[in-house]
Amino acid sequence: MVALATLSQARVQPSSGFDLFSPQEEIQAGRQAAGEVVRQLPLLPEPSAVTKYIQKLGHELASHAPGEKWPYSFRVVNQKDINAFALPGGPIFINLGTIQAADNEAELAGVLAHEISHVVQRHGTRAASKQMAAELPLAIIGSMMGRSTLSQMAQLGISFGVGSYFLKNSRESESEADLLGTDIMYDTGFNPHAMADFFAKLEAQDGKQGSLAQFLSDHPNPGNRASAVSQEVSTLPAKKYRPDSADFRKIKEQVASLHPMTAEQIAEWQKGHATTSQPASFPGNGIAPSTALKTFEHEGYKISYPENWRVVASQNKDSNGFAVTIAPANGISNGQLTYGVVIDRYALPSASVDMEDAANKLIQSLSEANPGMRAAGSATNIRVNGREGKSVDLIGNSPEKAANGNTQQERDWLVSIPRGDGSLLYFVFIAPANNFDALRPTFEQMLRSVQVH
Ligand code: ZN
């Protein structure tokens, strides 16, 4: 029995290095940065099939990660460019374009395993700590211990948000992430070589497609990627690796028809979007949703909503009393909805061949009724109460004026699902652009509660 211990294969252990951040501070710094990412980049909705798949795969890989048990989270950015990045303490973002570019599940898992490894190795906070040490006199560093590293970090203008210098990895960090990633892949049952293959494929394509540059500059080739992976794999027993899952094939089919936003489109989208680094906050006047929920029973569905919001019949004359609005007390001003959700049905003008076509007709109809409203990005698949529907972000003009009296942009999240009688049941979640993300978790929670009759 003693032999078992010596036979067990060695795994790469996380390296340690100078880090001013306690694990709690690291998690907090990552959460702050993730909040910024959520405001600055278009994400696929949490309940979308693609996001759910990535979360499942990501958490499975993370369960094999050594070291500190960080609270990992995974979100998909609706962006075409191939990229992925990890924030301190666990938040990982992967672009839709990366999923589209992966030829097999192991390649996709490789990108996630590599990002998870950057979290394990605390590469972001270690790089930031070095910078802080270089900028602060040692005496201050000493007296800082026990005080908040985060406030020092803020004072020095160091952040981990979108485009942060500290998310650009050194070649040394890349080597470490590759080695840990190899073990995570192996232990999860994936062929670790696929990780190096994917990076090599990107390099081969670099130059032909300018959009790759970002990924490769954030994750520079340490020089011997493939051979380092082979070397590590050779220390582990031969293994039969798992094939692509049915889920992966289904997701690949779904993403093939999606048109994620280009970097230019995202820059345009950000103009109508809060880019402030202030934490998301609710405006006053009873807009903030209570955590206690109430349930509303409609003839067509059931939905939960914050207890301090109310249900009012919608003013839409065409809907024959079907439409309702659920909104905070002050979410409706001058008869116009500023915060809340409109739920209605949409009878298709003609027999629609598929959900995509139906969803596009609905967007067109909403744009006609609401001048200035337009889709930001393309519709993605979403599952609501077991039904395959479509989700799309819209931009419009908010009835609420900005503080300086100017018109401000509104964000509308449109989700539509088939009712089974040829019509669609749809939800438009509405808020001024700069407050939308503060309400998004509430909107997502409401959507998850929906039961269609
Ligand atoms: Zn990397």
Side-chain angles (χ1 to χ4, degrees), residues 82-86 93 111 114-116 118 123 167-171 173-175 177-178 199 202-203 212-223 225:
I82 295 167
N83 209 352
F85 59 95
F93 295 85
V111 173
H114 179 96
E115 296 301 336
I116 288 167
H118 280 308
H123 284 145
L167 300 181
K168 293 192 186 306
N169 294 287
S170 66
R171 286 172 208 278
S173 297
E174 283 304 293
S175 291
D178 283 349
F199 279 97
L202 294 188
E203 271 169 19
L212 288 175
Q214 194 56 48
F215 189 73
L216 295 173
S217 90
D218 289 357
H219 303 276
N221 188 344
R225 204 155 233 157

Side-chain angles (χ1 to χ4, degrees), residues 1-11 237:
M1 293 312 280
V2 173
L4 271 181
T6 39
L7 275 177
S8 73
Q9 316 98 40
R11 293 292 187 276

Side-chain angles (χ1 to χ4, degrees), residues 10 28 63 67 86 93-94 105 155 259 286 319 365 373 375:
Q28 208 186 330
S63 73
F93 295 85
I94 183 165
E105 194 165 31
Q155 235 164 32
H259 304 283
S319 84
S365 140
M373 186 183 269

